[in-house]
Amino acid sequence: ATGSTTFGDSADDKHIFTGQMGIGTATPEAALHLQNGTAGSIAAIGGAVLILESNEKPKIHFQSPGGYGGSIIFGSPTDNDEGQIYYDHGSDRFLFKTGGSTKMAILGNNVGIGTASPAKTLDVAGDIKFSSN
């Protein structure tokens, strides 16, 4: 790890590390760099905050009780959840949301565009445009 460290109890019970921290690497390339084997000579992209590096296929594993799922949330100063990729264990579906509403869903073998509950293999709520036959 490089940078300065503040550990110990504070009023907020927070532990602060300023700089870059590596787990499995002595040369972290982002605020947090987790390495489980080398991926080769890949340069970190500018602005990366988290790097997951592996000599296999890196994975993020969300674990939750059966009635829940996991989310990746994209926020901004004007909307803290304007974009989401959400998995719901209860209904076994993926939802892709922007602007606070579902734009696409995968439910079983069905894909929905403009609907959160597709009833057919492709279920489109709205107009369709084709650019060729």
Side-chain angles (χ1 to χ4, degrees), residues 32-87:
L32 180 57
H33 187 156
L34 306 174
Q35 184 180 36
N36 183 20
T38 181
S41 58
I42 302 170
I45 192 164
V49 177
L50 170 65
I51 296 174
L52 304 176
E53 181 178 355
S54 175
N55 58 348
E56 295 178 7
K57 185 188 302 182
K59 300 169 184 77
I60 299 173
H61 189 175
F62 296 83
Q63 296 181 347
S64 63
Y68 297 95
S71 298
I72 299 174
I73 311 289
F74 302 87
S76 71
T78 58
D79 187 350
N80 67 350
D81 67 348
E82 61 191 333
Q84 298 181 31
I85 301 171
Y86 174 77
Y87 177 71

Side-chain angles (χ1 to χ4, degrees), residues 109-123:
N109 292 326
N110 299 338
V111 174
I113 300 173
T115 177
S117 299
K120 300 289 182 184
T121 304
L122 180 60
D123 188 344

Side-chain angles (χ1 to χ4, degrees), residues 93-110:
R93 68 179 169 172
F94 268 101
L95 301 174
F96 299 85
K97 300 180 176 189
T98 60
S101 64
T102 299
K103 305 300 184 201
M104 186 173 88
I106 301 172
L107 176 60
N109 292 326
N110 299 338

